[in-house]
């Protein structure tokens, strides 16, 4: 059973074609610079060399057609006919309060996703466009939506409500939604497998640390709190996003700097975080580490704000769950940076967290990095959102 996974963004489309009989990846790729000059198709067939093609891609329709052409290509394609694709799964960032799991993308569901555009104006429109083009190009093939927000729909009211007038929740659905749900769910399930325990009996804190980052408290297999909220900007400091700030800072800066809504949004989403704190050194953890190693004070302070924020969330979520059995590190920084993992866990011995510095030297692969006698297991798990999407898609389409 072959399942296509599509992640359609504003100027790029990521894809992976899975053979679900053994969950192997037949091909993956990235269509870049859609609607921008010099578009590129990067196609990586698992049985051959990467193929990089330059072609004019004015819109998502042409982008998805190019993806199909690559998958079906007589020389470097991986299937002979489009009918071999049994179902397609789509990443959708925001599904509001409507969906707590993945669903078949019926017309009714599409309408509901369109209603969520105002909650995720940057993400949902290209996601929806990708689905619409796939529906058109693959008539009759089930299309499944897998939502970043879905896993967090189990968060209780006390954790998803903000302390603003309740009427704004009723009127505009202003509340914590949370994101990266597919990743948090994937690594939590994997952690249970690694620990040979049932997910239902575990309290896990999952730290997804990439360009966008979030921490989630997973109790008995359910998300009960998460650091991202209404938008994709709260919680810990991210590459260019500010994370938690006192809300009073926003009107203060708007007033002082004579900023419009767009102006302040640009600051909190694109000019803050690691980039802003380091006075422009970089939004990338590796660059900051390099500078910090050379003694650059700006990089050192940035890194310390980042690690402190994560540590604070771990403490808060241990309290929220009444304990913690495992802490998981995932995504670019979580999987690769022994320094970040070490700094975050330092001082958490009181919680029962003991890192083994030798085991912590691992990079990019699954590993338990806590000592054998550490009460709390600390685990590095590479995330795989695409596989999670493929699994949900296969399950839903088989049961149609
Ligand atoms: P995205 O949210 O865009 O998917 P990623 O999960 O790819 O982001 O994470 C990007 C982050 O991971 C960057 O800050 C990058 O510096 C960091 N990273 C990637 N590889 C390494 C590495 N080997 N060591 C330290 N940090 C790394």
């Amino acid at each position: 059973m072959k399942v296509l996974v599509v992640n359609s963004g504003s100027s790029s489309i990521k894809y992976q074609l899975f053979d679900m009989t053994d969950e192997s990846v037949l091909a993956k790729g990235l269509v870049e610079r859609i609607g921008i000059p010099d578009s590129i198709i990067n196609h990586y067939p698992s049985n051959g060399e990467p193929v990089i093609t330059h072609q004019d891609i004015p819109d998502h329709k042409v982008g998805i057609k190019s993806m199909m052409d690559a998958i079906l290509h007589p020389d470097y394609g991986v299937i002979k006919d489009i009918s071999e694709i049994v179902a397609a799964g789509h990443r959708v960032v925001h599904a509001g309060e409507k969906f707590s799991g993945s669903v078949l993308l019926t017309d009714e569901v599409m309408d509901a996703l369109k209603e969520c555009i105002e909650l995720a104006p940057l993400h949902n429109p290209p996601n929806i466009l990708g689905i619409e083009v796939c529906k058109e190009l693959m008539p009759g093939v089930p299309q499944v939506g897998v939502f970043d927000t879905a896993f967090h729909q189990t968060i209780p009211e006390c954790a998803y409500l903000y302390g603003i007038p309740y009427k704004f929740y009723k009127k505009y659905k202003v509340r914590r939604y949370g994101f990266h749900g597919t990743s948090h769910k994937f690594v939590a399930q994997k952690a249970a497998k690694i620990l040979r325990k049932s997910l239902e009996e575990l309290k896990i804190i999952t730290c997804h640390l990439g360009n966008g980052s979030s921490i989630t408290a997973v109790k008995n297999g359910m998300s009960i709190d998460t650091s991202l909220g209404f938008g994709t900007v709260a919680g810990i400091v991210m590459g260019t996003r500010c994370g938690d700030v006192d809300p009073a800072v926003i009107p203060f800066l708007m007033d002082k700097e004579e900023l419009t809504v767009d102006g302040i949004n640009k600051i909190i989403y694109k000019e803050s975080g690691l980039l802003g704190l380091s006075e422009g050194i970089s939004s990338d953890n590796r660059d900051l580490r390099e500078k910090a190693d050379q003694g650059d004070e700006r990089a050192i302070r940035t890194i310390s704000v980042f690690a402190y924020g994560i540590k604070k969330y771990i403490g808060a979520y241990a309290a929220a769950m009444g304990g913690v059995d495992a802490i998981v590190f995932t995504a670019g920084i979580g999987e690769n940076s022994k320094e970040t993992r070490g700094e975050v866990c330092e001082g958490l011995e009181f919680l029962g967290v003991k890192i083994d510095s030798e085991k912590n030297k691992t990079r990019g692969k699954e590993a338990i990095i806590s000592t054998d006698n550490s009460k709390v297991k600390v685990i590095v798990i590479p995330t795989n959102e695409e596989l999670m999407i493929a699994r949900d898609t296969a399950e839903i389409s088989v049961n149609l």
Side-chain angles (χ1 to χ4, degrees):
M1 176 182 190
K2 285 165 192 142
V3 170
L4 178 66
V5 172
V6 180
N7 182 352
S8 173
S10 58
S11 67
S12 71
I13 298 165
K14 288 187 197 150
Y15 61 90
Q16 284 198 25
L17 183 66
F18 285 87
D19 183 344
M20 294 311 286
T21 45
D22 58 358
E23 296 191 335
S24 61
V25 177
L26 299 173
K28 60 179 165 186
L30 171 67
V31 182
E32 282 181 286
R33 301 180 62 87
I34 298 170
I36 309 171
D38 308 318
S39 314
I40 311 166
I41 305 153
N42 309 271
H43 178 69
Y44 306 95
S46 59
N47 57 358
E49 293 297 309
V51 183
I52 314 294
T53 332
H54 295 261
Q55 182 195 317
D56 191 27
I57 303 179
D59 55 34
H60 282 68
K61 189 161 182 180
V62 179
I64 289 192
K65 270 195 182 137
S66 317
M67 168 189 85
M68 297 291 191
D69 289 346
I71 291 171
L72 286 159
H73 197 276
D75 299 331
Y76 50 79
V78 289
I79 53 171
K80 297 225 159 8
D81 196 277
I82 198 165
S83 62
E84 288 179 49
I85 300 174
V86 175
H90 298 265
R91 178 187 183 205
V92 180
V93 168
H94 216 310
E97 288 185 313
K98 296 214 163 69
F99 303 102
S100 56
S102 306
V103 289
L104 188 70
L105 291 162
T106 59
D107 291 346
E108 210 181 355
V109 174
M110 292 303 289
D111 287 344
L113 296 181
K114 284 176 192 159
E115 278 173 30
C116 293
I117 286 178
E118 63 175 6
L119 297 174
L122 298 180
H123 294 101
N124 270 29
N127 296 163
I128 291 169
L129 200 55
I131 298 165
E132 286 175 343
V133 175
C134 282
K135 280 186 165 207
E136 197 184 318
L137 296 179
M138 292 187 268
V141 175
Q143 310 281 328
V144 171
V146 181
F147 313 122
D148 272 30
T149 46
F151 182 54
H152 300 301
Q153 277 299 300
T154 44
I155 292 177
E157 190 182 55
C158 65
Y160 74 64
L161 283 180
Y162 295 124
I164 55 173
Y166 190 70
K167 66 178 177 194
F168 295 129
Y169 169 62
K170 288 201 285 192
K171 216 168 158 183
Y172 305 119
K173 293 280 172 223
V174 174
R175 52 159 286 179
R176 178 186 309 281
Y177 289 99
F179 300 90
H180 301 131
T182 313
S183 174
H184 289 293
K185 186 176 175 185
F186 178 83
V187 297
Q189 288 180 349
K190 196 83 187 205
K193 275 206 181 113
I194 293 169
L195 298 174
R196 296 206 181 88
K197 293 226 164 105
S198 152
L199 190 55
E200 284 69 39
E201 61 181 271
L202 287 170
K203 295 167 182 159
I204 309 175
I205 297 173
T206 50
C207 307
H208 177 109
L209 312 176
N211 277 320
S213 300
S214 63
I215 320 272
T216 295
V218 185
K219 188 178 184 184
N220 311 332
M222 288 183 292
S223 168
I224 64 137
D225 205 350
T226 193
S227 61
L228 281 170
F230 176 72
T232 52
V233 71
I236 59 168
V237 160
M238 294 172 243
T240 61
R241 296 175 242 168
C242 60
D244 294 336
V245 293
D246 179 341
V249 170
I250 304 296
F252 177 84
L253 285 182
M254 288 179 85
D255 182 39
K256 288 278 177 204
E257 301 272 316
E258 295 178 22
L259 295 167
T260 58
V261 170
D262 283 349
I264 192 76
N265 266 334
K266 190 165 164 241
I267 291 176
I268 63 173
Y269 279 93
K270 299 216 178 320
E271 296 174 1
S272 296
L274 303 180
L275 180 69
L277 266 170
S278 67
E279 293 176 278
I281 295 180
S282 178
S283 60
D284 191 290
N285 170 63
R286 277 167 298 192
D287 299 338
L288 289 168
R289 289 281 160 198
E290 210 180 299
K291 282 277 182 201
D293 288 346
Q294 296 160 6
D296 190 310
E297 290 296 332
R298 299 167 303 169
I300 292 168
R301 72 159 177 250
T302 302
I303 282 168
S304 65
V305 174
F306 180 63
Y308 176 73
I310 301 166
K311 194 197 297 270
K312 209 159 83 169
Y313 266 99
I314 290 175
Y317 288 167
M321 294 192 289
V324 51
D325 300 304
I327 297 171
V328 177
F329 287 99
T330 193
I333 303 174
E335 290 165 27
N336 294 299
S337 176
K338 62 176 190 299
E339 294 86 358
T340 300
R341 295 189 299 253
E343 287 156 7
V344 167
C345 292
E346 196 187 317
L348 292 183
E349 293 79 9
F350 79 98
L351 263 185
V353 177
K354 261 197 254 169
I355 290 271
D356 180 322
S357 53
E358 276 306 307
K359 290 182 186 166
N360 187 31
K361 284 182 182 155
T362 185
R363 225 180 66 180
K365 52 180 194 284
E366 220 172 274
I368 297 181
I369 58 164
S370 45
T371 59
D372 292 343
N373 66 353
S374 178
K375 189 165 95 35
V376 178
K377 302 296 169 209
V378 184
I379 318 173
V380 175
I381 303 177
T383 193
N384 195 339
E385 288 158 291
E386 292 78 11
L387 177 57
M388 198 77 198
I389 296 173
R391 282 179 184 164
D392 278 11
T393 304
E395 194 182 319
I396 288 171
S397 50
V398 157
N399 291 323
L400 283 178

